[in-house]
Amino acid sequence: ENEMKPDTVLGGFYNKKLISVDEAKKLGYIIPDNYKEDEVPQLDLGAVDATLEFCAENNVKMRAHTLMWHQQTPSWFFKYDYNSYYNYCNAGTMDKRLEYYVKNIVAHISSSQYKDVVYAYDVVNEYFHNNDSGSKSNWTQVYGEEGKYPSYVKKAFQYANDMLNYYNLRSKVKLFYNDYNTYLVSDDIVTMIKFVNQNGKICDGVGMQSHLDVHWPDVNYIGNTIDKFKNAGFEIQITELDATINAMQSGYTLQDQANYYYSIIKMLKQKKQGGANITGVTFWGLSDQVSWRASGQPLLFSQLGVKKAAYDAVIHAMK
């Protein structure tokens, strides 16, 4: 869940390590053309490497989540001299930092002996919710409000696409825009991805996070959004599925949750059979015990090895 987020890779607020450009080159880092700063952040990819190795040893695939996100990204990454107490840098400087960050992570994974376990990247996460906290995100502070045509989102996809092409992996690895409550911003997402792809397809589709509750949203509401993405020609993956009970209204039971999960999975199966390019469903967590939404009991297992009614409902829906 957090192994690839920028806070982990950059060391967070307190553990940043800056190195000179010359030192970075000796270590094999990619330095963008016309990079004008004297230093770059050293990237800590130890957690990524451990995850890649684990996946390879256990014959499972890995979703690389996420290259770019406004949360869990240290503020110093956006400031002059990589100093939290300085002003925000200009867009040209940030372009080079973004290129450095994305290209080096994708290159690191693509040159790993375990590279084949990665099937997709969430290149950009939650752009359409980047100011939901009530204050401007760091990205907005640098680039300004760019609405449905964000230049830096397009650049992030371009950098990731370029590196996968360099390593001859683009045909094997998909690049996604990932967001929650996609049904509320589906038209905006379609417009943005078409903008990103206007000079060639570099974003393959949409990751629909799907942090749900038995109370909301209705399964048909989700289905209508899938139809929009299908009609736009996007690949669709359900990337962070969990469904709480009692989070929005009391009185629901684990059987209600099982029924809700059944309706979701049944709908996804029917949409896929009807031509929607749905290529993956990922649950966000192994059991309620370790879920970020633990109080709402959102997953298929109460604890590892102890399945709930929701588990059998999901299996039944797929038959």
Side-chain angles (χ1 to χ4, degrees), residues 21-91:
V21 168
D22 287 341
E23 185 179 356
K25 288 179 178 177
K26 291 176 184 176
L27 292 172
Y29 283 89
I30 298 166
I31 304 299
D33 294 339
N34 300 316
Y35 183 87
K36 293 181 168 55
E37 300 182 87
D38 296 326
E39 295 180 308
V40 294
Q42 187 167 4
L43 307 180
D44 182 357
L45 294 164
V48 176
D49 290 338
T51 307
L52 288 168
E53 183 177 3
F54 174 88
C55 290
E57 290 177 348
N58 291 277
N59 195 31
V60 295
K61 295 292 186 179
M62 172 179 156
R63 179 181 209 88
H65 173 84
T66 174
L67 295 176
M68 180 181 162
W69 192 26
H70 61 283
Q71 292 188 30
Q72 288 181 243
T73 305
S75 59
W76 56 258
F77 188 57
F78 303 89
K79 304 293 186 69
Y80 281 112
D81 291 341
Y82 297 105
N83 189 319
S84 294
Y85 301 103
Y86 289 7
N87 292 329
Y88 285 96
C89 67
N90 59 42

Side-chain angles (χ1 to χ4, degrees), residues 5 14 48 52 89 96 139 162 164 231 239 252 304 309-310 318:
K5 287 176 181 170
Y14 296 103
V48 176
L52 288 168
C89 67
K96 295 303 176 182
W139 291 102
D162 288 347
L164 289 175
N231 294 335
T239 57
Y252 289 111
L304 288 182
M318 287 300 298

